[in-house]
């Protein structure tokens, strides 16, 4: 299996190589922080539950403070922030990308879909063409492409 290393020299090679793969997405509960005034967040939560994730939601008027506490760079922010297995999942990330994150266990803070791309999970708009967008792996101010999608369909190999 190809294991990704995000930060060179992290010493995580042994831990990643010996860590068991997740048998199912619901192995840990995902906690989703969201602004109660946002409607698309519940649609994304539905997408995650349909994919087999156990999800707990927490409405908050302090979403930006939570993003800052969890290390989400402002340029990668979206409308909701989730936590699972020590990772941050920011925005309308497809369940497939979260499953991959949990399987590969890269040395990173988390993944993000910046903004709110049309067609991403929770942002489906009938009659509008789906946007192409990237899922970004991040750690501090460093980031790199983790996967590319159009709607919920992955476009990279």
């Amino acid at each position: 299996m190809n294991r990704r290393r995000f930060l060179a020299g992290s010493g995580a090679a042994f831990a990643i190589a010996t860590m068991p793969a997740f048998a199912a997405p619901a192995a840990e509960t995902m906690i989703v922080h969201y602004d109660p005034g946002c409607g698309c967040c519940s649609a994304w939560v539905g997408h995650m539950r349909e994919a087999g994730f156990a999800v707990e939601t927490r409405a908050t008027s302090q979403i930006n403070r939570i993003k800052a506490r969890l290390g989400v760079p402002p340029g990668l922010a979206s409308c909701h922030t989730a936590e699972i297995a020590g990772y941050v999942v920011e925005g309308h990330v497809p369940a497939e990308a979260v499953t991959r994150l949990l399987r590969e266990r890269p040395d990173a803070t988390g993944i993000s879909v910046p903004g709110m791309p049309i067609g991403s999970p929770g942002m489906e708009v009938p009659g509008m063409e789906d946007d192409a967008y990237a899922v970004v792996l991040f750690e501090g101010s460093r980031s790199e492409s983790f996967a590319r999608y159009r709607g919920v369909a992955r476009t990279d190999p």
Side-chain angles (χ1 to χ4, degrees), residues 1-2 6 26-28 32 35 43 46-47 49 52-53 57 66 69 73 78 126 131 134 139 151 154:
M1 177 179 287
N2 182 16
F6 188 73
E28 293 195 39
V32 179
D35 186 301
H47 168 76
R49 286 180 173 148
F53 286 88
T57 58
I66 291 169
R69 176 177 59 83
S78 185
D131 291 334
E139 173 72 29
R154 190 164 172 189

Side-chain angles (χ1 to χ4, degrees), residues 1 6 10 15 31 33-34 43 46 50 68 108 115 117-118 122 129-130 156:
M1 177 179 287
F6 188 73
S10 67
I31 299 168
H33 307 275
Y34 70 100
E50 286 175 18
I118 300 299
E129 184 177 342
D130 291 345
D156 62 347

Side-chain angles (χ1 to χ4, degrees), residues 9-113:
S10 67
F14 177 76
I16 290 173
T18 59
M19 194 171 295
F22 281 78
E28 293 195 39
T29 299
M30 175 181 281
I31 299 168
V32 179
H33 307 275
Y34 70 100
D35 186 301
C38 184
C40 63
C41 299
S42 61
W44 183 78
V45 166
H47 168 76
M48 298 307 292
R49 286 180 173 148
E50 286 175 18
F53 286 88
V55 181
E56 176 185 321
T57 58
R58 295 185 182 169
T60 178
S61 60
Q62 303 296 316
I63 192 70
N64 290 330
R65 286 188 181 168
I66 291 169
K67 291 176 191 306
R69 176 177 59 83
L70 294 174
V72 177
L76 298 181
S78 185
C79 59
H80 54 268
T81 304
E83 301 175 77
I84 187 167
Y87 287 105
V88 175
V89 177
E90 178 67 13
H92 295 269
V93 176
E96 174 189 56
V98 177
T99 300
R100 179 179 163 210
L101 174 76
L102 297 176
R103 182 180 66 243
E104 293 182 6
R105 306 288 302 174
D107 188 10
T109 300
I111 55 178
S112 169
V113 169

Side-chain angles (χ1 to χ4, degrees), residues 96-97 100 133-136 144-149 154-156:
E96 174 189 56
R100 179 179 163 210
Y133 60 95
V135 175
V136 178
E144 65 182 58
S145 179
F146 187 70
R148 296 209 45 85
Y149 290 82
R154 190 164 172 189
T155 61
D156 62 347

